Amino acid sequence: MAESADTPATPGHSPVDLDPAYREAVVDLLAVIAYGEISAFERLAEDAKLAPTVADKVDLATMASLELAKVHPLHDRLRELGADPFVAMAPFRTPIEEFHRHTAPADWFEGLVKAYVGDGLANDFYREIAAYLDPATRDLVVAAMEEGGHAAFVVERVRAAIADDGRLGGRLALWGRRLMGEALTQAQRVAADRESLAALLAGGVDRPGLDLAAMGRLFSRLTERHMERMAELGLEA
Amino acid sequence: MAESADTPATPGHSPVDLDPAYREAVVDLLAVIAYGEISAFERLAEDAKLAPTVADKVDLATMASLELAKVHPLHDRLRELGADPFVAMAPFRTPIEEFHRHTAPADWFEGLVKAYVGDGLANDFYREIAAYLDPATRDLVVAAMEEGGHAAFVVERVRAAIADDGRLGGRLALWGRRLMGEALTQAQRVAADRESLAALLAGGVDRPGLDLAAMGRLFSRLTERHMERMAELGLEA
């Protein structure tokens, strides 16, 4: 049934509050995050097959399920904004699949590092963007970034493995650098293709944004946190 | 840290309430269900790759995640009973993997029918067994069988596809019979290997059980419900 036209709008949630350019940017942002979660589910479920034990498999499968659970509220909000979630996600399919195609883990440990470092990087980036959003959208984006601490098992497994095998540590350190490089490549591609997202970061007449210097600082923060994550795993960044 | 010995036992939940043979049967039962859910997650996540659209993929991935979510309470209860969930699940790995090896879907629709018919059959079987359990274990088993109505999308997709293509209906009807045959083969194998589970169904001095005639009726009920499910999908059983 169609929604009644006189249903009161939730304050701060109504699509009519948003100017069209900003609405378009929010649709793009929620869609890219949602498709990223779907893709993360697929990749983690695939990597779970490489698990050396059933316990490890359940841990990675649980991470996969948690990613997927975040898709539904993002889709709900896209529908509230008058967008079809699957149409909205379509432009992001290629860059996200390309990222995964270029970073297919060769083994269980590369899969673990990718889960930890890749998702961490994406989360940091979206949290940074969240600062430029209206409160309702910001809360939704920040909630989608919560990982429930389940990734802690990755740190434990990777540290134990490299303690046993120093060469693995060297290989995984290179792998971490490659993940960062591929993520930046695809993020630039998205920014070039989707003007609305670039405009969101640049700000507007009535919204603060990032100038080039601020953008530079954003990237140093992302790089710094990437290095912290690598260090948590016991890897040189 | 070890649990304090003077922690009060939850009434009806304490492992000391259970006689050793019954406890062993409950451990086996919870373990086979839990491994079945893990395996269902893997198979549904794999089948989701065959999805013709991203929306279908999300639906199947959601079914996968719901299966996995049921694993954690089963594992918690196994631990309460003093069992290591991964040790307890080990004996069931081969029969469940064999079932999936012999019923690998050739395409998206075989995957959908398997998800619907296979999980339905397993759920019916475990619900029947639940009648012979103590109330706390019964509630846990019944909760693990709830599917949240998400499988409804399968009915819609399969009916639409066979309306378009009569030959697909014939092939999927044969597929449904094969799923039932393989499920019975592996269930018999488990019953032969795990005396505790067979004894659970047969009853004990202080517990009612199934005689041969009752076992026969149980199998006719399972077959009947399988045929009902095939009919819901628009397939001849």
Side-chain angles (χ1 to χ4, degrees):
Chain A
M1 287 211 297
E3 258 181 68
S4 163
D6 55 10
T7 303
T10 315
H13 277 80
S14 165
V16 297
D17 286 0
L18 307 177
D19 79 73
Y22 178 73
R23 178 194 161 281
E24 195 187 330
V26 168
V27 166
D28 269 357
L29 180 65
L30 301 180
V32 68
I33 296 174
Y35 195 81
E37 306 284 12
I38 294 169
S39 189
F41 169 88
E42 283 193 281
R43 181 241 312 161
L44 289 168
E46 184 71 20
D47 294 351
K49 286 198 239 164
L50 302 169
T53 69
V54 178
D56 286 324
K57 177 175 293 187
V58 171
D59 279 331
L60 213 59
T62 301
M63 282 180 76
S65 296
L66 294 176
E67 299 283 355
L68 193 80
K70 296 168 183 169
V71 171
H72 300 288
L74 294 167
H75 281 185
D76 290 344
R77 178 68 176 148
L78 283 166
R79 288 191 191 96
E80 280 171 19
L81 291 170
D84 175 326
F86 296 97
V87 173
M89 293 191 302
F92 305 107
R93 193 166 176 170
T94 303
I96 291 175
E97 298 302 332
E98 283 290 288
F99 172 75
H100 289 307
R101 211 168 58 79
H102 288 129
T103 58
D107 65 12
W108 167 245
F109 290 106
E110 288 192 2
L112 285 186
V113 170
K114 181 173 167 182
Y116 191 73
V117 163
D119 294 351
L121 191 56
N123 287 358
D124 284 347
F125 180 62
Y126 294 131
R127 269 183 219 272
E128 290 275 357
I129 289 191
Y132 302 92
L133 299 172
D134 62 284
T137 310
R138 179 165 64 229
D139 291 350
L140 185 65
V141 169
V142 170
M145 298 306 125
E146 273 161 21
E147 53 90 359
H150 204 84
F153 96 98
V154 173
V155 174
E156 194 190 299
R157 295 295 193 291
V158 172
R159 293 193 85 103
I162 60 177
D164 284 353
D165 176 359
R167 287 181 54 215
L168 180 65
R171 177 157 66 84
L172 293 178
L174 283 175
W175 175 243
R177 274 201 280 283
R178 178 145 150 234
L179 290 169
M180 182 71 173
E182 284 293 337
L184 289 179
T185 304
Q186 297 304 331
Q188 277 178 322
R189 181 172 172 177
V190 168
D193 277 5
R194 307 300 293 178
E195 269 179 42
S196 68
L197 284 177
L200 180 70
L201 279 178
V205 188
D206 54 346
R207 278 184 308 105
L210 291 169
D211 59 16
L212 217 58
M215 199 76 90
R217 286 193 297 275
L218 187 159
F219 278 99
S220 4
R221 284 195 299 276
L222 292 178
T223 308
E224 209 165 289
R225 276 186 239 131
H226 170 71
M227 289 170 68
E228 283 167 15
R229 262 190 300 273
M230 294 292 282
E232 280 160 30
L233 293 172
L235 301 172
E236 282 181 43
Chain B
M1 287 212 296
E3 258 182 68
S4 163
D6 57 8
T7 302
T10 315
H13 278 78
S14 165
V16 296
D17 286 359
L18 307 177
D19 79 73
Y22 178 73
R23 177 194 161 280
E24 196 187 330
V26 168
V27 166
D28 269 357
L29 181 65
L30 300 180
V32 70
I33 296 174
Y35 196 80
E37 306 284 11
I38 294 169
S39 189
F41 168 87
E42 282 193 282
R43 180 240 313 162
L44 290 168
E46 184 72 21
D47 294 351
K49 285 198 239 164
L50 302 169
T53 68
V54 178
D56 286 325
K57 179 177 290 187
V58 171
D59 279 331
L60 212 59
T62 301
M63 281 181 77
S65 296
L66 293 175
E67 299 283 355
L68 194 80
K70 296 168 183 170
V71 171
H72 300 288
L74 294 167
H75 281 184
D76 291 344
R77 178 69 176 147
L78 283 166
R79 288 191 191 95
E80 279 171 19
L81 291 169
D84 176 326
F86 296 97
V87 172
M89 292 191 302
F92 304 107
R93 193 166 177 171
T94 304
I96 290 173
E97 298 302 332
E98 283 290 287
F99 172 75
H100 289 305
R101 211 167 59 79
H102 288 128
T103 59
D107 65 12
W108 167 245
F109 290 106
E110 289 192 2
L112 284 187
V113 171
K114 182 174 166 182
Y116 190 72
V117 163
D119 294 350
L121 191 56
N123 287 358
D124 283 346
F125 181 62
Y126 294 130
R127 269 183 219 270
E128 290 275 357
I129 291 191
Y132 302 93
L133 299 172
D134 62 284
T137 310
R138 180 164 62 228
D139 291 350
L140 185 65
V141 169
V142 170
M145 297 306 125
E146 273 161 23
E147 52 90 359
H150 204 83
F153 96 98
V154 173
V155 174
E156 192 190 302
R157 295 295 193 288
V158 172
R159 292 191 86 104
I162 60 177
D164 283 354
D165 175 359
R167 287 180 55 214
L168 179 66
R171 176 157 67 85
L172 293 178
L174 282 175
W175 175 243
R177 275 203 280 283
R178 177 144 151 235
L179 291 169
M180 182 71 173
E182 284 293 338
L184 289 179
T185 303
Q186 298 304 330
Q188 278 178 323
R189 181 172 174 178
V190 167
D193 276 6
R194 307 301 294 178
E195 269 178 44
S196 69
L197 283 177
L200 180 70
L201 279 178
V205 188
D206 54 347
R207 275 185 310 106
L210 291 169
D211 59 15
L212 217 58
M215 198 75 91
R217 286 193 296 275
L218 187 158
F219 278 99
S220 5
R221 284 194 298 276
L222 292 179
T223 308
E224 209 165 290
R225 274 185 241 131
H226 170 70
M227 290 170 66
E228 283 167 16
R229 262 189 301 272
M230 294 292 282
E232 280 160 30
L233 293 173
L235 300 172
E236 281 182 44

